[in-house]
Amino acid sequence: QVQLEESGGGSVQTGGSLRLSCAASGTTWSINGMGWYRQAPGKQRQMVAIISDNGDTMYADSVKGRFTISRDSAKNTAYLEMNSLKPEDTAVYYCNVGRYSGDYYPFEYWGQGTQVTVPS
């Protein structure tokens, strides 16, 4: 079992910044990727950013250049720095863990979700 504890999120004006954190605990030996997905009302959950334990990253095209994911492997914690936020970034953000091997294969472990709101 893996537990994911998220923090951060909130409401910010267009152009503002927020930082999300996700700490993983439990049986983490098989995990080498961490990151975030997001789900806006009426839309499917989509990948936002993923990082491997050796620093490889992948981003959704919509956030490239604005969001930066980083990781403290010793703490099993990942961070998502979100800059230049737009109203279309409004969603519930979910932390996820999985295997990163060329592509990313999410495990069915999810954080509780944290709301990010950017009013239009």
Side-chain angles (χ1 to χ4, degrees):
Q1 291 293 321
V2 175
Q3 293 78 44
L4 301 173
E5 184 172 350
E6 301 172 7
S7 60
S11 182
V12 65
Q13 295 300 311
T14 297
S17 299
L18 288 172
R19 188 188 197 218
L20 305 182
S21 298
C22 175
S25 61
T27 308
T28 60
W29 63 267
S30 63
I31 295 166
N32 74 338
M34 293 182 69
W36 274 270
Y37 285 65
R38 69 185 181 187
Q39 188 167 19
K43 296 188 176 181
Q44 289 189 331
R45 193 172 295 188
Q46 62 175 188
M47 187 275 291
V48 177
I50 303 295
I51 188 167
S52 73
D53 58 1
N54 63 6
D56 294 331
T57 58
M58 60 172 61
Y59 293 92
D61 288 343
S62 58
V63 307
K64 285 180 181 177
R66 300 188 298 120
F67 290 12
T68 302
I69 190 168
S70 60
R71 181 172 180 170
D72 184 337
S73 293
K75 296 180 179 180
N76 280 332
T77 299
Y79 306 95
L80 185 66
E81 189 74 32
M82 304 184 292
N83 298 315
S84 302
L85 282 160
K86 305 175 180 180
E88 50 264 44
D89 295 318
T90 296
V92 178
Y93 285 67
Y94 296 92
C95 181
N96 178 260
V97 294
R99 290 293 297 175
Y100 192 132
S101 180
D103 206 342
Y104 180 67
Y105 303 92
F107 293 168
E108 287 304 314
Y109 295 112
W110 299 91
Q112 76 277 12
T114 186
Q115 178 70 46
V116 171
T117 302
V118 188
S120 57

